[in-house]
Amino acid sequence: RKDEILLCEASTVYKYIQEDGSNRGTYGKLVCTNFKIAFLDDDSTSDDNEPQFKNKIIGENDITLQCVDQIYGVYDEKKKLLTGQLRKYPEKLIIYCKDLRVFNFCLRYTKEEEVKRIVSGIIHHSQTPKLLKRLFLFSYASAAPNNTDGRNQTVMFDTLEDWRDELERTKGNVQYKAVSTNEGYRVSEKLPLYFVVPICVSEESILKYEGRGIPIWCWSCHNGAALLKMSAFPKEQDDSTSQMQKAFLDGIYRTIRKPPYELLKTDDLSSSLPSLQEIQTAYTRFKQLFLIDNSTDFWATDVKWFSLLESTNWLEIIRRVLKKAIEVVECLERQHTNVLLIEETATDLCCVISSLVQVMMDSYSRTKLGFQSLIQKEWVIGGHGFLDRCNHLHKSDKEEAPVFLLLLNCVWQLVQQYPPAFEFTETYLTVLSDSLYVPIFSTFFFNSQHQKDTTMTGEILKTQSSPFRFLTVWDWSVQFDLKAQAFLNNPLYAEKPKPEKSQRKTARFKHQRQLSLPLTQTKSSPKRGFFREETDHLIKNILGKRIGKFINSSDEPPNSFREFYDSWHSKPIDYHGLLLPRIDGPEIKVWAQRYLRWIPEAQLHGGGTIAIAAKILDLMEEVQNLQVKMDEEHSQAVSGDTHAVPMLRNYARLSSLFPFALLQRQSVKPALPTSTWKDLEDEDDLVKRDDEFVDLSDML
Amino acid sequence: MASSSAPKYNSHSLESSSIKRTLKDGANWEKSEEIPRLPGETRVTDKDVIYMCPFNGPVKGRLYITNYRLYLRSVENDPVVVLDVPLGVISRIEKMGGASSRGENSYGLDITCKDLRNLRFALKQEGHSRRDIFEVLTKHAFPQSHNLLFFAFTNEEKFSENGWMVYNPMSEYRRQGLPNERWRVTFINEHYGLCDTYPSLLVVPYNATDDDLKKVAAFRSRNRIPVLSWIHPENQAVIMRCSQPLVGMSGKRNKDDERYLDIIREANGQISKLTIYDARPNVNAVANKATGGGYESEDAYPNAELFFLDIHNIHVMRESLKKLKDIVYPNVEESHWLSSLESTHWLEHIKLVLTGAIQVADKVSSGRSSVLVHCSDGWDRTAQLTSLAMLMLDSYYRTIEGFEVLVQKEWISFGHKFASRIGHGDKNHADADRSPIFLQFIDCVWQMSKQFPTAFEFNEQLLITILDHLYSCRFGTFLYNSESVREKEKVTEKTLSLWSLINSEKSKYTNPFYSKELNRALYPVASMRHLELWVNYYIRWNPRIRQQQPNPVEQRYMELLALRDDYMRRLEELQITNNSKIPNSSASSTSPSQMMSQVQTHF
């Protein structure tokens, strides 16, 4: 590739095949470019076994520089973390990747000079601070092939029109408006060019505190209640300033609580959810459990697996986040209350909660396009600091926090609990999470729209190269060919019955699930009459007065959440309606596909969910063939509209790691735990007893 | 039935042919409303009670007691709350509160069930209402303690299939290719003279005479000599089962036993060592010497290799299940679910049992040697290991019928002491003989089916149904401790087999994803990363934790299957009409693509 520059290389590097813990492996060349670290197999003829699910950009032995998590060196059998300048060079190099792969390279047979160069090169290019413009993105963008994928219909939310369409889709346009106040970023560099605010909010107030203290619209519920987010004022030392800010906020709240806005519930996420620091700590511990060196390591951690998992706190965080999202849903859905999420910048946990709420309430967000548009709206344009949170530039470890991964983990819980409700598969979520570290897409490599725009114009001016364009991750054809892309589509998706008229306009959904609760008896007629709505407001006003001006989460009747949750779960599921995750302890699971996919010991030969998926795909193919035959019998033209169905039939015994790890176990030896049983200290007397108290010697 | 909410969401309940009717309005509902009743089931009494539902609070209802079940129907709730519990499930009935109890609903009965739940009924403190109910319940729930018959002996149900015909030891051994030139069938135990806990028909090495067997029996605990469970069709390696040798403190030896094991070793035509798996932890095996038991020493058996599999005894398992119940019933431990689960050790025990079975299976399958499995008596851990290993090695046992054969053979006929372990109809709930060994086996099977969702012909429902009737006493299948007692009690003549129920309604228990694969060894991964708590069984009473029924993935697959069949039918029709060259315009004018969208299947 002409845009990729070779930085250093070393030959006769020996790469261990992780698979069996033996020292089997292959010799090859280890190279480091401005894009990736790659191992080039000397014996490249083994390519006849083309995998079905192949990433076109990242090969099996490629690690993008941003994907490197930690690098360890092995000195005399001892592992040491490698950072900065090295005095001594290791015999073995272990690279842990953010997509959870582990690479073991032996440098014993490599020339000393080359070892020095490659090791320090890899450390330097993957672990030290970097300038934004040195990201591969920029080299790639100028040289990118200009083949726009016309089918990419993801709404990017970079135009006023996109926001207006979204308002119309959700029927939010009665009470909210899209504004262009931030054109030229005159309000704030953190806010997108276009966004949506309540109609009553003036341009003046938006400008006043650089967009802080302004409720920004995320989404409107079918009943008119809206989900809003707001970036809070920083804690002020100066009393008068904070007084002024308070007055300003009161004014804003007053305006937006005027009819037709009614009630507003505020939720300060920085106090009701774990901090970013806690999230980062939890994930760091959690992912470490899956970066397994060898079989011994695997079985040693297996003994205490559940308490190890629990001690990371990651699953508990997922549970809390899902619970918070359900609370917000309850307000919107049952109490018809607007919800305002507050966070310092409104670009981290706000994004998680608002996205989850939409995934749960808006079935459009469960389609591929809808989900992608949602990510664009809340995260990419919404201003989530991907660059800092992923620490792509190694600028500051303090800023790092896996906020987006947290969302994907939460969405995965929903996907596995309600498979027919999603148009995409868990594989889609997994490759999306991997794409966080692929620096050829602009999607996850900027902190804000402003940063992207300014950097881009700067680059164009400087290089004067006109066809400068970034790729979006949503163009899946860049990474996967059609056959592989088929793995991203859920064959079980219960597609929504297509309405007669244009789909876009009628995208509003109806909740078929009845909530036999006080305020929501309106569902009987799909079209809500004028009178009906009036009484609703009436009730809400009365209720509002009774409860008080603000409902804070702490004031809430404690049972309302449980009641809402239980009542929903006791009814049959409408996959196009409201979807609430089950959050009891046993229901929150480890995303096995993402976290176990490279671990050979965890492989189920011929098992796992892929075994069922393969059956379903087989059957689908059969049905499609029948369809073609029938069309032929009808002597109609063969419809060219059939989507690619992955062919799995020759793979009767797929591994559960499919489609990821390309391990092919030679033997069918079962994996046996090597760890030993630990004592049952507390039950010692029981342990020593025999099954039955019969003295056998008496029987002789 | 048997759950605390409306029948229509009651998918986890005990199987029964009960008629579910909605409540009719009207004052005399009591008379007009029938409770589900099996042929042979008779009503004993009924009473107004308050069911103290741990999930939804007190429920007013009427409690009916028959000679088979306890049935409660709420009188005020909508939807109607129904409880339908076979009396066999009851392990203990306690009175709560006394005549002077003040608190609301504090006077009544507390019933502990074997299927991990408790039922509480509050009663009025007047007359002898509680005493009456208590006595009736005690009498019918514990027939053994009252010289009464199990309900299975009064059950007059009729089924289209006869489950007693499922297992015929001779045909099962024939299926395995036995007898052959190395293995013979012996009738030495025909009248249970050699060993009263073994079946009458046994397979032993061709080169061992019946006389040899008798001598060996003297050296094996309870005369449970090594006999064949399964033979590998290709490499002829075998799985043998037995009890511990009677070595004792003095380290006794027995030439006949030693020679017998050598004959077994040689029977697969190879000269490799015989592998002995002692299911117990090493220390327990040693400790057993004190009571006359022990294990095969290297000196006495130089041609054998002994491994301990570290599986704990029945008491440890019982305690573990008790702890598990504590964290799932009535409420699921919220905040520290994982560490609570770990502290029960339940899944660790499962892991060890599976690990042991994998080792047995792998040893046999790799053909390196034949395997001898024992624990102390060879009816608990041994049964778990041999049956699981057989399930891993022989795909026949993964079919519905094959699984029935496996249970019938390795568990029922080889004397797993169901009566003692379950305590059928026995009021002595605290008996030290009780232990969830069979449940643990079924859990292991479930773990395997979860890891290999296409490898089993049967579904989870079959496993749950088996467990429900392990306790219900509606069928004779799991009654009594051994074949000899069952024969004496004429179980096959006087009772019905659970397999009759299941085989008459096979589709209900069929896994749609099943792919038949022959001779494929199936090794589960005995790692905590894959082992899961069987929520649909252990937490099924909790309405908050309930899996979607029917399984949505399964449902959509069935839709696709129906679509395929429909296409095939239409295609056939089309081909016929096209061949007869009559232009067709009306009947099948719907294009396939249109139909596809009708079933809303996304491609």
Side-chain angles (χ1 to χ4, degrees):
Chain A
R1 197 181 254 142
K2 62 178 180 189
D3 45 303
E4 194 175 343
I5 305 156
L6 181 69
L7 300 169
C8 48
E9 63 179 315
S11 43
T12 52
V13 172
Y14 190 73
K15 175 179 164 278
Y16 293 108
I17 297 170
Q18 234 180 326
E19 185 163 356
D20 52 2
S22 73
N23 284 337
R24 286 197 306 127
T26 44
Y27 285 102
K29 210 196 266 177
L30 189 60
V31 302
C32 179
T33 74
N34 58 341
F35 171 51
K36 63 177 189 247
I37 298 160
F39 177 78
L40 311 170
D41 206 324
D42 284 347
D43 181 26
S44 53
T45 48
S46 60
D47 257 8
D48 52 337
N49 207 344
E50 185 81 342
Q52 283 189 65
F53 188 74
K54 205 182 108 187
N55 193 309
K56 297 198 286 190
I57 305 288
I58 319 286
E60 193 190 342
N61 289 323
D62 293 347
I63 312 159
T64 66
L65 296 177
Q66 282 68 34
C67 191
V68 175
D69 188 16
Q70 306 148 57
I71 302 171
Y72 277 86
V74 177
Y75 302 84
D76 301 326
E77 309 284 302
K78 270 184 217 127
K79 254 171 73 180
K80 261 176 80 181
L81 185 69
L82 303 184
T83 43
Q85 286 287 322
L86 298 182
R87 273 202 224 115
K88 218 179 133 207
Y89 289 86
E91 301 136 35
K92 243 176 96 183
L93 199 62
I94 307 174
I95 303 181
Y96 295 107
C97 302
K98 290 187 174 169
D99 60 8
L100 301 140
R101 287 178 297 170
V102 179
F103 287 90
N104 282 281
F105 298 111
C106 176
L107 305 169
R108 216 168 284 153
Y109 317 104
T110 315
K111 285 194 205 104
E112 208 187 315
E113 266 315 292
E114 288 185 343
V115 172
K116 278 184 188 169
R117 245 180 293 145
I118 194 76
V119 174
S120 50
I122 285 175
I123 293 171
H124 177 75
H125 294 291
S126 70
Q127 302 291 73
T128 56
K130 204 186 199 112
L131 288 173
L132 176 58
K133 283 168 196 167
R134 303 296 294 274
L135 278 178
F136 185 65
L137 192 63
F138 292 92
S139 333
Y140 192 83
S142 50
N146 204 0
N147 54 344
T148 322
D149 184 3
R151 289 172 309 137
N152 179 26
Q153 291 154 8
T154 304
V155 185
M156 302 303 272
F157 288 95
D158 51 0
T159 65
L160 202 54
E161 203 50 40
D162 287 348
W163 286 101
R164 285 188 177 142
D165 287 348
E166 179 73 353
L167 273 174
E168 195 183 322
R169 184 182 77 83
T170 61
K171 303 278 182 287
N173 41 8
V174 190
Q175 300 162 10
Y176 299 90
K177 63 179 179 194
V179 292
S180 53
T181 322
N182 201 28
E183 267 177 355
Y185 298 100
R186 64 192 182 111
V187 180
S188 162
E189 292 178 356
K190 288 186 177 120
L191 284 173
L193 276 181
Y194 311 102
F195 52 90
V196 174
V197 294
I199 278 179
C200 57
V201 170
S202 65
E203 188 165 318
E204 195 181 32
S205 31
I206 297 174
L207 283 161
K208 187 155 184 192
Y209 290 104
E210 296 175 342
R212 279 179 189 268
I214 298 296
I216 292 174
W217 178 87
C218 298
W219 179 74
S220 282
C221 177
H222 63 100
N223 61 22
L227 180 61
L228 305 151
K229 62 183 170 188
M230 181 174 90
S231 111
F233 289 111
K235 284 238 164 24
E236 281 291 342
Q237 300 299 324
D238 182 7
D239 219 35
S240 65
T241 317
S242 71
Q243 281 301 319
M244 268 164 59
Q245 288 172 350
K246 198 173 168 293
F248 175 77
L249 273 185
D250 284 347
I252 291 280
Y253 288 153
R254 253 198 313 280
T255 351
I256 62 171
R257 268 193 293 111
K258 268 201 312 223
Y261 296 112
E262 318 303 337
L263 282 172
L264 178 72
K265 189 199 135 170
T266 58
D267 194 328
D268 187 353
L269 297 180
S270 53
S271 61
S272 63
L273 283 179
S275 69
L276 295 189
Q277 187 53 52
E278 280 171 82
I279 294 168
Q280 166 69 5
T281 312
Y283 184 70
T284 308
R285 286 203 208 116
F286 177 77
K287 65 139 202 257
Q288 213 60 42
L289 295 180
F290 301 92
L291 296 171
I292 303 280
D293 281 340
N294 52 45
S295 191
T296 322
D297 198 11
F298 179 87
W299 291 111
T301 47
D302 205 56
V303 181
K304 279 267 177 193
W305 181 246
F306 291 127
S307 44
L308 280 173
L309 264 186
E310 189 175 283
S311 67
T312 70
N313 207 31
W314 178 247
L315 294 180
E316 178 61 18
I317 287 175
I318 289 174
R319 212 171 75 90
R320 281 178 65 187
V321 166
L322 286 172
K323 192 169 179 210
K324 171 58 70 188
I326 299 172
E327 280 168 28
V328 173
V329 169
E330 195 248 353
C331 280
L332 293 166
E333 171 77 29
R334 191 169 73 152
Q335 302 180 17
H336 294 203
T337 305
N338 296 324
V339 177
L340 176 61
L341 306 172
I342 302 176
E343 199 187 9
E344 199 199 319
T345 57
T347 54
D348 289 305
L349 294 172
C350 274
C351 302
V352 178
I353 299 297
S354 69
S355 307
L356 274 177
V357 168
Q358 291 174 63
V359 167
M360 283 152 65
M361 296 185 79
D362 188 344
S363 64
Y364 170 64
S365 303
R366 291 176 230 142
T367 64
K368 215 159 95 187
L369 279 181
F371 186 70
Q372 294 176 171
S373 304
L374 177 71
I375 303 300
Q376 278 296 130
K377 179 170 78 165
E378 299 296 335
W379 296 77
V380 181
I381 295 301
H384 175 68
F386 280 105
L387 204 54
D388 291 344
R389 292 292 174 248
C390 298
N391 205 8
H392 283 320
L393 302 180
H394 290 276
K395 272 198 173 141
S396 161
D397 291 348
K398 271 188 226 145
E399 290 293 312
E400 191 172 340
V403 188
F404 187 64
L405 272 183
L406 179 60
L407 171 79
L408 296 185
N409 274 273
C410 291
V411 173
W412 179 83
Q413 303 289 340
L414 278 155
V415 167
Q416 65 102 21
Q417 288 181 14
Y418 306 103
F422 291 83
E423 194 190 27
F424 47 86
T425 56
E426 64 165 339
T427 307
Y428 170 86
L429 293 175
T430 303
V431 297
L432 182 56
S433 75
D434 290 344
S435 305
L436 273 176
Y437 317 111
V438 182
I440 65 164
F441 305 109
S442 63
T443 316
F444 303 130
F445 281 86
F446 290 103
N447 279 330
S448 63
Q449 194 183 8
H450 168 262
Q451 188 185 33
K452 181 183 165 191
D453 284 359
T454 48
T455 327
M456 196 159 78
T457 34
E459 279 306 285
I460 290 171
L461 285 176
K462 211 168 71 193
T463 58
Q464 307 224 314
S465 57
S466 44
F468 191 84
R469 80 179 244 293
F470 290 129
L471 294 179
T472 161
V473 72
W474 312 127
D475 186 354
W476 291 105
S477 66
V478 176
Q479 291 191 76
F480 302 102
D481 60 25
L482 270 180
K483 237 163 96 188
Q485 279 184 63
F487 287 97
L488 311 182
N489 301 326
N490 178 11
L492 294 170
Y493 178 53
E495 204 174 339
K496 208 157 115 180
K498 284 202 176 90
E500 305 281 294
K501 289 175 195 165
S502 137
Q503 213 189 343
R504 182 82 195 236
K505 293 218 163 145
T506 45
R508 148 152 14 167
F509 51 93
K510 268 176 273 159
H511 292 264
Q512 287 171 17
R513 192 172 278 250
Q514 297 186 21
L515 295 161
S516 50
L517 298 162
L519 292 178
T520 42
Q521 282 150 3
T522 53
K523 72 131 311 255
S524 51
S525 66
K527 260 189 241 155
R528 307 242 253 67
F530 177 70
F531 182 72
R532 185 74 254 178
E533 280 184 348
E534 286 289 62
T535 34
D536 265 359
H537 287 314
L538 210 69
I539 296 168
K540 272 192 285 179
N541 281 336
I542 295 164
L543 191 79
K545 281 192 187 98
R546 192 160 51 81
I547 294 180
K549 281 176 192 161
F550 277 166
I551 316 171
N552 279 319
S553 27
S554 52
D555 306 338
E556 230 179 298
N559 284 331
S560 78
F561 168 82
R562 199 78 240 195
E563 195 192 315
F564 176 67
Y565 180 83
D566 287 348
S567 137
W568 187 86
H569 280 285
S570 66
K571 303 203 166 86
I573 293 159
D574 168 17
Y575 291 114
H576 299 291
L578 178 66
L579 214 59
L580 296 185
R582 291 185 299 263
I583 54 166
D584 288 281
E587 309 283 9
I588 303 295
K589 298 196 171 136
V590 171
W591 182 359
Q593 189 194 52
R594 177 171 151 83
Y595 296 104
L596 294 178
R597 61 189 153 148
W598 314 111
I599 303 175
E601 284 77 15
Q603 156 166 247
L604 299 166
H605 214 74
T609 45
I610 190 68
I612 285 185
K615 289 280 293 190
I616 291 165
L617 293 172
D618 268 5
L619 183 57
M620 277 174 52
E621 201 198 319
E622 202 182 325
V623 169
Q624 273 192 353
N625 287 340
L626 282 169
Q627 189 186 339
V628 170
K629 270 197 204 143
M630 276 173 79
D631 283 344
E632 281 168 5
E633 289 290 332
H634 272 293
S635 38
Q636 290 170 351
V638 176
S639 133
D641 198 31
T642 48
H643 293 239
V645 173
M647 300 270 285
L648 296 173
R649 230 185 302 136
N650 302 329
Y651 289 73
R653 299 184 65 174
L654 289 170
S655 144
S656 60
L657 307 184
F658 185 86
F660 290 99
L662 302 165
L663 307 167
Q664 264 134 12
R665 266 178 120 89
Q666 304 302 312
S667 67
V668 284
K669 288 295 291 171
L672 279 173
T674 52
S675 57
T676 47
W677 172 251
K678 63 179 191 302
D679 290 333
L680 292 164
E681 311 87 359
D682 46 336
E683 290 163 9
D684 228 19
D685 55 320
L686 279 184
V687 172
K688 284 188 198 129
R689 274 163 73 178
D690 195 29
D691 279 353
E692 273 132 276
F693 299 100
V694 178
D695 201 334
L696 297 168
S697 41
D698 294 347
M699 295 166 63
L700 291 177
Chain B
M1 71 192 218
S3 144
S4 58
S5 65
K8 78 172 168 170
Y9 300 119
N10 251 334
S11 36
H12 291 267
S13 48
L14 243 142
E15 280 323 298
S16 82
S17 50
S18 66
I19 323 119
K20 276 160 187 164
R21 293 182 189 177
T22 45
L23 182 66
K24 287 174 211 151
D25 278 321
N28 60 344
W29 69 272
E30 197 186 304
K31 281 175 199 157
S32 66
E33 195 61 44
E34 274 179 56
I35 67 162
R37 223 182 301 170
L38 298 171
E41 185 178 355
T42 49
R43 201 144 120 185
V44 181
T45 187
D46 53 62
K47 189 123 293 176
D48 281 327
V49 299
I50 294 169
Y51 165 51
M52 308 296 288
C53 174
F55 309 108
N56 302 317
V59 175
K60 254 190 204 170
R62 193 153 184 89
L63 181 70
Y64 302 83
I65 296 166
T66 73
N67 56 346
Y68 171 64
R69 80 184 87 207
L70 169 165
Y71 190 88
L72 174 121
R73 191 198 303 276
S74 67
V75 290
E76 284 168 357
N77 299 55
D78 182 37
V80 181
V81 173
V82 169
L83 267 183
D84 189 348
V85 186
L87 297 178
V89 162
I90 296 175
S91 132
R92 177 185 199 185
I93 307 164
E94 283 170 291
K95 292 173 182 166
M96 56 174 194
S100 56
S101 287
R102 292 280 138 173
E104 200 185 349
N105 299 332
S106 63
Y107 179 83
L109 292 175
D110 190 344
I111 299 172
T112 309
C113 298
K114 294 168 181 171
D115 58 3
L116 271 83
R117 59 180 159 162
N118 279 56
L119 305 170
R120 280 176 152 228
F121 298 105
L123 293 156
K124 291 199 188 88
Q125 283 153 296
E126 55 199 34
H128 294 295
S129 66
R130 181 168 76 172
R131 200 187 63 195
D132 294 348
I133 285 223
F134 180 81
E135 273 165 14
V136 165
L137 267 181
T138 309
K139 189 170 139 197
H140 292 282
F142 308 125
Q144 283 298 84
S145 309
H146 293 85
N147 284 319
L148 289 172
L149 288 174
F150 290 116
F151 175 73
F153 288 89
T154 16
N155 187 359
E156 288 163 14
E157 283 177 276
K158 298 272 181 289
F159 293 104
S160 56
E161 298 285 324
N162 182 359
W164 294 125
M165 306 296 281
V166 165
Y167 177 60
N168 176 316
M170 203 58 215
S171 25
E172 164 56 15
Y173 288 120
R174 276 213 199 95
R175 188 193 66 83
Q176 292 190 26
L178 298 167
N180 62 19
E181 68 279 11
R182 291 202 172 90
W183 298 93
R184 67 186 181 96
V185 171
T186 172
F187 295 95
I188 186 176
N189 203 33
E190 198 175 358
H191 303 292
Y192 309 102
L194 178 78
C195 171
D196 60 354
T197 56
Y198 261 5
S200 58
L201 198 149
L202 301 168
V203 174
V204 294
Y206 192 84
N207 292 333
T209 65
D210 281 1
D211 220 37
D212 293 337
L213 301 180
K214 281 179 192 154
K215 288 177 193 157
V216 173
F219 191 62
R220 289 280 161 180
S221 172
R222 300 170 206 272
N223 303 338
R224 293 172 67 93
I225 60 165
V227 294
L228 181 142
S229 275
W230 190 78
I231 182 163
H232 195 288
E234 280 142 34
N235 65 36
Q236 302 293 302
V238 296
I239 299 177
M240 306 289 290
R241 61 180 292 169
C242 62
S243 60
Q244 64 182 335
L246 297 176
V247 175
M249 289 301 267
S250 55
K252 275 198 281 293
R253 289 181 56 165
N254 181 303
K255 279 266 139 29
D256 300 297
D257 192 74
E258 289 162 24
R259 203 173 64 88
Y260 184 63
L261 260 53
D262 226 37
I263 294 173
I264 293 169
R265 179 182 65 85
E266 286 166 351
N268 69 348
Q270 289 175 24
I271 34 123
S272 56
K273 286 195 171 185
L274 175 72
T275 310
I276 302 174
Y277 286 108
D278 188 326
R280 301 166 294 185
N282 191 344
V283 276
N284 295 57
V286 174
N288 255 289
K289 287 185 176 180
T291 49
Y295 54 90
E296 294 81 356
S297 71
E298 225 187 306
D299 301 343
Y301 302 87
N303 289 328
E305 247 185 318
L306 180 81
F307 299 96
F308 294 102
L309 295 177
D310 294 332
I311 301 168
H312 280 283
N313 64 37
I314 62 167
H315 313 290
V316 172
M317 302 312 181
R318 184 179 58 237
E319 281 315 299
S320 175
L321 184 66
K322 205 179 270 174
K323 285 185 183 165
L324 181 64
K325 183 181 173 183
D326 287 344
I327 68 159
V328 299
Y329 190 88
N331 295 311
V332 175
E333 174 67 42
E334 271 257 323
S335 48
H336 296 286
W337 166 251
L338 287 172
S339 52
S340 311
L341 180 61
E342 188 172 273
S343 68
T344 69
H345 300 299
W346 183 255
L347 287 178
E348 278 167 85
H349 295 308
I350 298 278
K351 173 178 163 174
L352 276 170
V353 172
L354 280 173
T355 305
I358 294 168
Q359 279 171 271
V360 172
D362 179 43
K363 189 64 92 178
V364 170
S365 159
S366 65
R368 282 192 302 261
S369 84
S370 285
V371 162
L372 179 71
V373 183
H374 70 72
C375 44
S376 296
D377 292 307
W379 50 44
D380 293 311
R381 291 168 266 200
T382 301
Q384 289 179 332
L385 291 169
T386 56
S387 55
L388 285 170
M390 287 157 76
L391 198 62
M392 289 171 198
L393 293 171
D394 192 335
S395 57
Y396 168 69
Y397 299 123
R398 295 174 222 142
T399 63
I400 292 178
E401 200 192 284
F403 189 68
E404 293 167 353
V405 167
L406 184 69
V407 170
Q408 203 73 46
K409 176 179 187 300
E410 288 304 295
W411 290 85
I412 298 171
S413 87
F414 272 96
H416 172 68
K417 303 205 296 175
F418 281 103
S420 307
R421 297 290 174 258
I422 307 303
H424 291 129
D426 185 350
K427 66 174 188 207
N428 190 2
H429 64 89
D431 196 303
D433 259 353
R434 309 278 178 268
S435 190
I437 300 301
F438 186 72
L439 165 64
Q440 205 172 41
F441 159 71
I442 295 289
D443 194 330
C444 289
V445 176
W446 179 81
Q447 302 285 352
M448 283 181 69
S449 70
K450 181 95 185 148
Q451 293 190 8
F452 300 98
T454 61
F456 293 82
E457 191 196 7
F458 51 87
N459 58 17
E460 180 179 57
Q461 196 54 50
L462 176 85
L463 300 178
I464 293 178
T465 304
I466 290 175
L467 289 176
D468 281 340
H469 293 297
L470 173 65
Y471 308 121
S472 77
C473 298
R474 174 169 151 198
F475 301 100
T477 306
F478 296 115
L479 296 180
Y480 306 113
N481 278 336
S482 65
E483 201 177 282
S484 64
V485 185
R486 256 169 243 126
E487 207 160 280
K488 212 172 71 203
E489 301 289 341
K490 300 196 166 59
V491 166
T492 52
E493 293 154 53
K494 294 181 172 173
T495 73
L496 293 163
S497 161
L498 167 59
W499 317 129
S500 302
L501 171 88
I502 285 164
N503 294 352
S504 306
E505 251 188 309
K506 258 190 177 165
S507 63
K508 206 168 160 181
Y509 305 102
T510 305
N511 168 16
F513 299 112
Y514 175 57
S515 306
K516 200 169 177 174
E517 260 191 276
L518 291 173
N519 300 324
R520 173 189 157 192
L522 199 68
Y523 296 121
V525 174
S527 157
M528 289 300 174
R529 272 96 163 167
H530 284 303
L531 299 183
E532 275 180 54
L533 184 74
W534 187 6
V535 169
N536 282 358
Y537 181 73
Y538 299 106
I539 322 188
R540 61 180 162 157
W541 311 122
N542 190 328
R544 269 172 207 149
I545 300 186
R546 191 176 282 167
Q547 299 294 305
Q548 300 154 46
Q549 293 286 345
N551 173 320
V553 177
E554 214 172 290
Q555 205 177 5
R556 297 208 52 83
Y557 187 71
M558 302 298 274
E559 279 170 25
L560 267 180
L561 277 177
L563 183 68
R564 181 196 63 183
D565 295 347
D566 188 45
Y567 275 15
M568 281 169 47
R569 190 181 46 79
R570 276 162 178 261
L571 192 62
E572 218 166 280
E573 281 172 17
L574 267 174
Q575 278 161 347
I576 292 165
T577 33
N578 280 3
N579 287 346
S580 56
K581 307 256 172 186
I582 299 161
N584 180 327
S585 56
S586 61
S588 46
S589 58
T590 334
S591 95
S593 352
Q594 274 170 294
M595 284 168 53
M596 288 298 263
S597 59
Q598 279 165 17
V599 280
Q600 300 162 32
T601 299
H602 173 74
F603 282 83

